[in-house]
Amino acid sequence: MQADSSPFKIILGSSSIARRKILAEMGYEFTLMSADIDEKSIRKDKPEELVMALAEAKAGAISQKLPLGDYTKDAVEPTLLITADQVVVYEGAVREKPSSKEEAWEFIKGYSGRQAATVSSVLATNLKTGIRKGGWDRVEIFFHEIPDETIEKLIEEGNVLYVAGALIIEHPLILPLVKDVMGTTDSVMGLPKALTEKLIKEVL
């Protein structure tokens, strides 16, 4: 369904460029808001529980900034708030954004010749009705050997320092080194299209 024919509005609660790009590819128009939350203060044992809790915390923080009375009036079209989160799982351990260049190096070096998984959550909240639905998606990624000079270039460029697990598989330096992906690239980039579409339909 194209945005111009949609009887609803969307707020994407994310500062991620990749998520913006994916939602635009899906044919939606949207406004942007970002949530200021202390992600490190939210801890869960399972990666799936953690990404859902973080998406919920982001939705809560953004909702507090909004004049919710304006969204619940009978005459207004529904506005959907979409929040998301992602972690990388490597050898059973959860990896969020690296805290330093050294940690980013360690993360990427670890993927060399091995595998990692991304766990991505999406939460859709209908601000008019209060209906909220969420879900998560997991993708397994298998890598060829990653040369040290490639890691150096990635860290020098800096984008890997701002993403979960320092992992950007669509990066031109990494893409040729990806052996196999069991799942979808949009999910690895942080917004699984099929799940997002399903949740949008469920909350309308």
PDB file of all heavy atoms in Angstrom, residues 7-9 69-79 128:
ATOM      1  N   PRO A   7      -4.655   5.621   4.760  1.00  0.00           N
ATOM      2  CA  PRO A   7      -5.458   6.452   5.662  1.00  0.00           C
ATOM      3  C   PRO A   7      -4.821   6.533   7.053  1.00  0.00           C
ATOM      4  O   PRO A   7      -5.494   6.498   8.062  1.00  0.00           O
ATOM      5  CB  PRO A   7      -6.790   5.707   5.687  1.00  0.00           C
ATOM      6  CG  PRO A   7      -6.407   4.275   5.480  1.00  0.00           C
ATOM      7  CD  PRO A   7      -5.141   4.255   4.672  1.00  0.00           C
ATOM      8  N   PHE A   8      -3.515   6.603   7.111  1.00  0.00           N
ATOM      9  CA  PHE A   8      -2.816   6.717   8.394  1.00  0.00           C
ATOM     10  C   PHE A   8      -1.462   7.385   8.177  1.00  0.00           C
ATOM     11  O   PHE A   8      -0.972   7.458   7.055  1.00  0.00           O
ATOM     12  CB  PHE A   8      -2.636   5.343   9.057  1.00  0.00           C
ATOM     13  CG  PHE A   8      -1.851   4.351   8.232  1.00  0.00           C
ATOM     14  CD1 PHE A   8      -0.468   4.256   8.348  1.00  0.00           C
ATOM     15  CD2 PHE A   8      -2.493   3.507   7.337  1.00  0.00           C
ATOM     16  CE1 PHE A   8       0.256   3.350   7.599  1.00  0.00           C
ATOM     17  CE2 PHE A   8      -1.775   2.595   6.568  1.00  0.00           C
ATOM     18  CZ  PHE A   8      -0.400   2.519   6.705  1.00  0.00           C
ATOM     19  N   LYS A   9      -0.890   7.863   9.269  1.00  0.00           N
ATOM     20  CA  LYS A   9       0.445   8.478   9.226  1.00  0.00           C
ATOM     21  C   LYS A   9       1.416   7.593  10.002  1.00  0.00           C
ATOM     22  O   LYS A   9       0.995   6.808  10.855  1.00  0.00           O
ATOM     23  CB  LYS A   9       0.394   9.874   9.855  1.00  0.00           C
ATOM     24  CG  LYS A   9      -0.394  10.877   9.031  1.00  0.00           C
ATOM     25  CD  LYS A   9      -0.428  12.225   9.721  1.00  0.00           C
ATOM     26  CE  LYS A   9      -1.182  13.252   8.867  1.00  0.00           C
ATOM     27  NZ  LYS A   9      -1.406  14.490   9.599  1.00  0.00           N
ATOM     28  N   GLY A  69      -3.165  13.665  23.152  1.00  0.00           N
ATOM     29  CA  GLY A  69      -4.563  14.074  22.974  1.00  0.00           C
ATOM     30  C   GLY A  69      -4.878  14.413  21.531  1.00  0.00           C
ATOM     31  O   GLY A  69      -5.989  14.182  21.042  1.00  0.00           O
ATOM     32  N   ASP A  70      -3.894  14.949  20.820  1.00  0.00           N
ATOM     33  CA  ASP A  70      -4.090  15.323  19.406  1.00  0.00           C
ATOM     34  C   ASP A  70      -4.262  14.089  18.510  1.00  0.00           C
ATOM     35  O   ASP A  70      -4.849  14.165  17.437  1.00  0.00           O
ATOM     36  CB  ASP A  70      -2.888  16.125  18.882  1.00  0.00           C
ATOM     37  CG  ASP A  70      -2.790  17.494  19.540  1.00  0.00           C
ATOM     38  OD1 ASP A  70      -3.716  17.851  20.295  1.00  0.00           O
ATOM     39  OD2 ASP A  70      -1.782  18.189  19.320  1.00  0.00           O
ATOM     40  N   TYR A  71      -3.706  12.957  18.974  1.00  0.00           N
ATOM     41  CA  TYR A  71      -3.731  11.743  18.145  1.00  0.00           C
ATOM     42  C   TYR A  71      -4.968  10.887  18.394  1.00  0.00           C
ATOM     43  O   TYR A  71      -5.251   9.975  17.622  1.00  0.00           O
ATOM     44  CB  TYR A  71      -2.475  10.903  18.409  1.00  0.00           C
ATOM     45  CG  TYR A  71      -1.207  11.575  17.956  1.00  0.00           C
ATOM     46  CD1 TYR A  71      -0.398  12.274  18.853  1.00  0.00           C
ATOM     47  CD2 TYR A  71      -0.795  11.514  16.621  1.00  0.00           C
ATOM     48  CE1 TYR A  71       0.760  12.912  18.429  1.00  0.00           C
ATOM     49  CE2 TYR A  71       0.359  12.143  16.190  1.00  0.00           C
ATOM     50  CZ  TYR A  71       1.136  12.832  17.105  1.00  0.00           C
ATOM     51  OH  TYR A  71       2.288  13.458  16.679  1.00  0.00           O
ATOM     52  N   THR A  72      -5.678  11.137  19.492  1.00  0.00           N
ATOM     53  CA  THR A  72      -6.803  10.267  19.863  1.00  0.00           C
ATOM     54  C   THR A  72      -8.170  10.842  19.484  1.00  0.00           C
ATOM     55  O   THR A  72      -9.196  10.215  19.726  1.00  0.00           O
ATOM     56  CB  THR A  72      -6.778   9.978  21.384  1.00  0.00           C
ATOM     57  OG1 THR A  72      -6.733  11.223  22.086  1.00  0.00           O
ATOM     58  CG2 THR A  72      -5.579   9.145  21.775  1.00  0.00           C
ATOM     59  N   LYS A  73      -8.181  12.031  18.896  1.00  0.00           N
ATOM     60  CA  LYS A  73      -9.470  12.628  18.496  1.00  0.00           C
ATOM     61  C   LYS A  73     -10.148  11.771  17.427  1.00  0.00           C
ATOM     62  O   LYS A  73      -9.479  11.226  16.556  1.00  0.00           O
ATOM     63  CB  LYS A  73      -9.248  14.048  17.954  1.00  0.00           C
ATOM     64  CG  LYS A  73      -8.811  15.036  19.021  1.00  0.00           C
ATOM     65  CD  LYS A  73      -8.412  16.359  18.393  1.00  0.00           C
ATOM     66  CE  LYS A  73      -7.877  17.306  19.468  1.00  0.00           C
ATOM     67  NZ  LYS A  73      -7.153  18.431  18.877  1.00  0.00           N
ATOM     68  N   ASP A  74     -11.493  11.713  17.486  1.00  0.00           N
ATOM     69  CA  ASP A  74     -12.258  10.875  16.554  1.00  0.00           C
ATOM     70  C   ASP A  74     -11.995  11.214  15.094  1.00  0.00           C
ATOM     71  O   ASP A  74     -11.910  10.336  14.246  1.00  0.00           O
ATOM     72  CB  ASP A  74     -13.776  11.016  16.826  1.00  0.00           C
ATOM     73  CG  ASP A  74     -14.169  10.287  18.108  1.00  0.00           C
ATOM     74  OD1 ASP A  74     -13.357   9.459  18.559  1.00  0.00           O
ATOM     75  OD2 ASP A  74     -15.257  10.549  18.644  1.00  0.00           O
ATOM     76  N   ALA A  75     -11.892  12.490  14.819  1.00  0.00           N
ATOM     77  CA  ALA A  75     -11.821  12.926  13.411  1.00  0.00           C
ATOM     78  C   ALA A  75     -10.456  12.671  12.766  1.00  0.00           C
ATOM     79  O   ALA A  75     -10.341  12.647  11.547  1.00  0.00           O
ATOM     80  CB  ALA A  75     -12.158  14.405  13.322  1.00  0.00           C
ATOM     81  N   VAL A  76      -9.411  12.491  13.571  1.00  0.00           N
ATOM     82  CA  VAL A  76      -8.063  12.397  12.969  1.00  0.00           C
ATOM     83  C   VAL A  76      -7.765  10.975  12.491  1.00  0.00           C
ATOM     84  O   VAL A  76      -8.238   9.994  13.064  1.00  0.00           O
ATOM     85  CB  VAL A  76      -6.946  12.865  13.937  1.00  0.00           C
ATOM     86  CG1 VAL A  76      -7.127  14.315  14.324  1.00  0.00           C
ATOM     87  CG2 VAL A  76      -6.829  11.977  15.158  1.00  0.00           C
ATOM     88  N   GLU A  77      -6.967  10.911  11.420  1.00  0.00           N
ATOM     89  CA  GLU A  77      -6.530   9.595  10.945  1.00  0.00           C
ATOM     90  C   GLU A  77      -5.515   9.014  11.931  1.00  0.00           C
ATOM     91  O   GLU A  77      -4.821   9.772  12.624  1.00  0.00           O
ATOM     92  CB  GLU A  77      -5.916   9.732   9.547  1.00  0.00           C
ATOM     93  CG  GLU A  77      -4.726  10.645   9.511  1.00  0.00           C
ATOM     94  CD  GLU A  77      -4.368  11.119   8.111  1.00  0.00           C
ATOM     95  OE1 GLU A  77      -5.012  10.730   7.136  1.00  0.00           O
ATOM     96  OE2 GLU A  77      -3.407  11.897   8.018  1.00  0.00           O
ATOM     97  N   PRO A  78      -5.436   7.690  12.020  1.00  0.00           N
ATOM     98  CA  PRO A  78      -4.493   7.093  12.972  1.00  0.00           C
ATOM     99  C   PRO A  78      -3.041   7.426  12.641  1.00  0.00           C
ATOM    100  O   PRO A  78      -2.687   7.547  11.468  1.00  0.00           O
ATOM    101  CB  PRO A  78      -4.726   5.583  12.837  1.00  0.00           C
ATOM    102  CG  PRO A  78      -5.929   5.407  11.994  1.00  0.00           C
ATOM    103  CD  PRO A  78      -6.173   6.678  11.256  1.00  0.00           C
ATOM    104  N   THR A  79      -2.243   7.593  13.682  1.00  0.00           N
ATOM    105  CA  THR A  79      -0.794   7.728  13.499  1.00  0.00           C
ATOM    106  C   THR A  79      -0.141   6.511  14.147  1.00  0.00           C
ATOM    107  O   THR A  79      -0.449   6.168  15.290  1.00  0.00           O
ATOM    108  CB  THR A  79      -0.268   9.015  14.163  1.00  0.00           C
ATOM    109  OG1 THR A  79      -0.853  10.139  13.498  1.00  0.00           O
ATOM    110  CG2 THR A  79       1.244   9.113  14.050  1.00  0.00           C
ATOM    111  N   LYS A 128      -3.678   6.363  18.177  1.00  0.00           N
ATOM    112  CA  LYS A 128      -5.095   6.719  18.313  1.00  0.00           C
ATOM    113  C   LYS A 128      -5.826   5.728  19.222  1.00  0.00           C
ATOM    114  O   LYS A 128      -6.587   6.114  20.101  1.00  0.00           O
ATOM    115  CB  LYS A 128      -5.769   6.752  16.936  1.00  0.00           C
ATOM    116  CG  LYS A 128      -7.231   7.220  16.996  1.00  0.00           C
ATOM    117  CD  LYS A 128      -7.790   7.474  15.616  1.00  0.00           C
ATOM    118  CE  LYS A 128      -9.199   8.062  15.731  1.00  0.00           C
ATOM    119  NZ  LYS A 128      -9.719   8.466  14.419  1.00  0.00           N
TER     120      LYS A 128
END
